[in-house]
Amino acid sequence: YAEFPAQVSPRLVDALQRKDMTPLYSHQAAAVDAALRGENVVVVTGTASGKTLCYNLPVLQTLLSDPEARGLYLFPTKALSQDQAAGLNSLLEVLNAAEQILVRTYDGDTPRARRRAIRDEVRILITNPDMLHAGILPHHPRWADLFENLRWVVLDELHVYRGIFGSNVANLLRRLRRVCRFYGSD
């Protein structure tokens, strides 16, 4: 186990304690600390070892301290996206920040009537590589607020992005970086 990095707000620590998600494992503390220092982080540990907290903590820390900041989460499957959104919203409820940090899923099942509202209100956008490729990047002017304020990109289940699919996702991430730079973020 390890202590919370000094950069993590007491408000977040308190919420995690109330959800019985403490103490941190040493790999979680190291990953959160590195991410908050601006490093790119890859976490490779076994199933149910707390990888999700390795990215949720630095993202939430940033979004709590910067009301304009945004995060983009990429998951390979809709089911995983839905599970992660539910878990994140549960933590935000305990944190009393569910109205401040709006988490939205944007995929092929998102009703067209909701898409504009999602673009306008989202703080953490949960999507998949296909939707990023076909529904977001080609329409980047509509997503300008997201791209101007994007501070975090989370790519979950990294091991599935291999072979031809992995090459395509690598190119997609290159496109994403170019769009972000166009809007002044990196």
Side-chain angles (χ1 to χ4, degrees):
Y1 297 112
E3 296 294 320
F4 280 88
Q7 310 96 301
V8 177
S9 77
R11 181 179 173 194
L12 264 172
V13 174
D14 180 62
L16 292 171
Q17 288 170 337
R18 285 187 281 140
K19 285 195 60 74
D20 200 25
M21 297 174 71
T22 60
L24 291 183
Y25 292 117
S26 58
H27 71 275
Q28 291 173 313
V32 169
D33 183 53
L36 288 172
R37 286 194 323 265
E39 296 179 29
N40 293 315
V41 177
V42 174
V43 178
V44 182
T45 63
T47 302
S49 61
K51 289 183 288 291
T52 301
L53 202 53
C54 292
Y55 57 80
N56 277 341
L57 265 180
V59 170
L60 291 176
Q61 178 63 41
T62 301
L63 272 59
L64 286 170
S65 62
D66 179 355
E68 299 301 316
R70 304 289 187 271
L72 173 65
Y73 287 18
L74 298 173
F75 295 102
T77 66
K78 291 180 187 179
L80 183 56
S81 295
Q82 295 298 326
D83 290 347
Q84 293 296 330
L88 187 53
N89 279 315
S90 172
L91 178 57
L92 288 168
E93 287 291 331
V94 172
L95 195 57
N96 293 320
E99 292 181 23
Q100 176 187 0
I101 299 175
L102 298 174
V103 176
R104 298 292 183 255
T105 302
Y106 191 86
D107 59 29
D109 291 338
T110 303
R112 293 220 180 267
R114 285 279 306 134
R115 292 182 180 196
R116 182 183 181 124
I118 289 171
R119 285 193 302 267
D120 293 343
E121 68 189 11
V122 72
R123 296 284 309 281
I124 297 176
L125 181 67
I126 297 176
T127 191
N128 57 61
D130 291 332
M131 195 64 169
L132 182 61
H133 167 70
I136 298 172
L137 290 177
H139 310 287
H140 61 85
R142 295 179 187 164
W143 292 92
D145 194 45
L146 172 75
F147 292 121
E148 287 172 356
N149 297 292
L150 191 60
R151 301 294 177 264
W152 294 99
V153 175
V154 173
L155 186 61
D156 200 17
E157 298 294 323
L158 191 61
H159 64 278
V160 304
Y161 304 108
R162 58 180 181 238
I164 293 171
F165 181 49
S167 295
N168 289 336
V169 171
N171 285 326
L172 179 65
L173 294 174
R174 287 182 190 99
R175 283 178 50 213
L176 173 61
R177 289 193 81 183
R178 282 194 306 271
V179 169
C180 287
R181 283 192 291 264
F182 177 79
Y183 288 98
S185 65
D186 187 20

